[in-house]
Amino acid sequence: MKISELSERSGVPVATLKYYIREGMLPRGAATSPTSAEYDDEHLARLRVISALAGVRGLPLSRVRDILALIDTPLADPVATMGRAVSALPPYVDEPIADDRARTAIAWAGLTYDPDFAAVGQLETAIRAVENAGLPWDEATLHRYADPMRDVAAAEVAPTARQTPAEATAYAVLGTALYEPVILALRRLAHQHQLELRPTVDEP
Amino acid sequence: MKISELSERSGVPVATLKYYIREGMLPRGAATSPTSAEYDDEHLARLRVISALAGVRGLPLSRVRDILALIDTPLADPVATMGRAVSALPPYVDEPIADDRARTAIAWAGLTYDPDFAAVGQLETAIRAVENAGLPWDEATLHRYADPMRDVAAAEVAPTARQTPAEATAYAVLGTALYEPVILALRRLAHQHQLELRPTVDEP
């Protein structure tokens, strides 16, 4: 299809498509003449991924580009690829910070501490925000979240054993970003369900 | 303390403090003369909450203001208060959308379906993003996330039985927003832990 049809079918303006191509986020179409190119379903699929990351996930386009680059050209080490993908997700920690809260929490949880992994700084800032808001933070609170997340991660990683390395990378990188809003929406729904279940108590 | 000292101790510029006061996000200080007012630790505490929501959580200031207003003046019904708080969190669903994916998922999970609750549209857009990225979505995948989130929510709601209504509201509204980055950072760390645990496999 021509770029005009790609625009129509994807709902993305032609100027935006050209921007994505310039930025390397969308592959060039196959040239059919010096001034036109042919696009296909792969381009439509890539645009749906961009829309999921930029729209629903709300990531800045520069971060979307980082994630797409990892899917197109993963690093040699899967742990490094995931590390790079995670650093494209919020909260963004621009400068190195003391990570003693995160380090303690990781030890409590029995997880692996690697000071270079972006999620360590992200956990540190998340714990500081909890403390700054006056919310509880202690070992019991950590286990409330860490234990289920260990089980979730184990279940999520299992299918990658049956995937090709390229499939496993796309699944891991996109899955990290895109199941997050699902998890959070389900927690919010579960809170509401709990409140609805409660017997009404008259205030004293 | 004077506003200059409040600025110094909080690290928030005086102009920003005045903006927060105008917007009703920070209470006025006690007037000590027609041109000066006295601020206290309550103001510092409120500024830490604003920083947690706007900085770490990355919420737009208009949404931070909505959340603070709910803490200061909760609605009569706790379910309605939580509904309003959840609608201040991303993903923002500006127009009503068909919610059949979310409705099915809520039925699978055994949760309560209320079409007016913001998390329903948030779950719908989250599931669509998963599907658009070509990631798996089915009943087994839903249970992978919904079952642990039911347990998490039950554990989170339990302490509110011992709190005053005002405490319970602040805990519920802030806890919904501020434990989310903790949960996500822990999932990312658990992924990395899983990858590190894996035996290295030579590619064929």
Side-chain angles (χ1 to χ4, degrees), chain B residues 80-101:
Chain B
T81 302
M82 280 305 293
R84 192 75 72 82
V86 161
S87 71
L89 301 175
Y92 301 118
V93 183
D94 298 327
E95 294 162 25
I97 52 172
D99 64 6
D100 40 303
R101 288 172 186 78

Side-chain angles (χ1 to χ4, degrees), chain A residues 45 48-49 52 56-57 78-79 82 86 89-91 106 110-112 114 117 119-120 122-123 125-127 129-130 132-133 135-137 141-142 144-146 148-150 152-157 160-161 165 171 174-176 178-196 198 203, chain B residues 45 48-49 52 56-57 78-79 82 86 89-91 106 110-112 114 117 119-120 122-123 125-127 129-130 132-133 135-137 141-142 144-146 148-150 152-157 160-161 165 171 174-176 178-196 198 203:
Chain A
R48 282 194 296 271
V49 172
V56 178
R57 197 58 186 75
V79 173
M82 279 304 293
V86 161
L89 301 176
I106 289 167
L111 295 173
T112 304
D114 170 356
F117 184 46
V120 175
Q122 292 168 342
L123 179 60
T125 60
I127 297 171
V130 161
N132 281 336
L135 292 168
W137 185 252
T141 308
L142 176 277
R144 188 165 74 200
Y145 301 116
M149 284 304 114
R150 277 184 77 119
V152 163
E156 289 177 317
V157 168
T160 60
Y171 168 77
L174 292 176
T176 294
L178 293 173
Y179 287 115
E180 290 185 351
V182 173
I183 293 171
L184 300 185
L186 287 168
R187 173 170 171 260
R188 297 169 192 170
L189 286 159
H191 282 158
Q192 188 216 26
H193 183 70
Q194 286 291 330
L195 288 174
E196 299 272 10
R198 272 198 173 184
E203 290 183 20
Chain B
R48 283 194 296 271
V49 172
V56 178
R57 196 59 185 75
V79 174
M82 280 305 293
V86 161
L89 301 175
I106 289 167
L111 295 173
T112 304
D114 170 357
F117 184 46
V120 175
Q122 292 168 342
L123 180 59
T125 61
I127 297 171
V130 162
N132 280 337
L135 293 167
W137 185 253
T141 308
L142 176 277
R144 187 165 76 200
Y145 301 115
M149 285 304 114
R150 277 182 77 118
V152 164
E156 289 178 317
V157 168
T160 60
Y171 168 78
L174 292 176
T176 294
L178 293 173
Y179 287 115
E180 290 186 352
V182 172
I183 293 171
L184 299 185
L186 287 168
R187 172 168 171 261
R188 297 169 193 170
L189 286 159
H191 282 158
Q192 190 216 25
H193 183 71
Q194 285 291 329
L195 288 174
E196 298 272 9
R198 271 199 172 182
E203 291 182 17

Side-chain angles (χ1 to χ4, degrees), chain A:
Chain A
M1 72 191 95
K2 294 194 186 310
I3 197 165
S4 54
E5 188 185 343
L6 182 65
S7 168
E8 208 166 288
R9 288 182 57 185
S10 65
V12 178
V14 170
T16 307
L17 294 175
K18 290 184 173 172
Y19 171 80
Y20 290 161
I21 293 168
R22 275 202 306 280
E23 291 289 315
M25 296 164 67
L26 185 69
R28 292 183 186 284
T32 50
S33 86
T35 56
S36 69
E38 186 69 16
Y39 298 86
D40 59 22
D41 286 347
E42 291 288 308
H43 292 90
L44 278 172
R46 172 54 66 101
L47 289 170
R48 282 194 296 271
V49 172
I50 294 174
S51 156
L53 292 169
V56 178
R57 197 58 186 75
L59 299 182
L61 278 185
S62 61
R63 308 291 185 167
V64 174
R65 192 184 52 207
D66 293 347
I67 288 179
L68 296 174
L70 287 168
I71 295 171
D72 294 338
T73 317
L75 309 177
D77 173 16
V79 173
T81 302
M82 279 304 293
R84 193 75 72 81
V86 161
S87 70
L89 301 176
Y92 301 118
V93 183
D94 298 327
E95 294 162 25
I97 51 172
D99 64 6
D100 41 299
R101 289 171 185 78
R103 192 167 187 165
T104 302
I106 289 167
W108 283 339
L111 295 173
T112 304
Y113 172 73
D114 170 356
D116 295 329
F117 184 46
V120 175
Q122 292 168 342
L123 179 60
E124 177 76 23
T125 60
I127 297 171
R128 289 185 192 187
V130 161
E131 290 179 347
N132 281 336
L135 292 168
W137 185 252
D138 52 28
E139 188 168 353
T141 308
L142 176 277
H143 280 291
R144 188 165 74 200
Y145 301 116
D147 297 350
M149 284 304 114
R150 277 184 77 119
D151 295 343
V152 163
E156 289 177 317
V157 168
T160 60
R162 299 185 301 274
Q163 294 170 331
T164 66
E167 284 170 348
T169 302
Y171 168 77
V173 169
L174 292 176
T176 294
L178 293 173
Y179 287 115
E180 290 185 351
V182 173
I183 293 171
L184 300 185
L186 287 168
R187 173 170 171 260
R188 297 169 192 170
L189 286 159
H191 282 158
Q192 188 216 26
H193 183 70
Q194 286 291 330
L195 288 174
E196 299 272 10
L197 284 183
R198 272 198 173 184
T200 308
V201 183
D202 290 326
E203 290 183 20

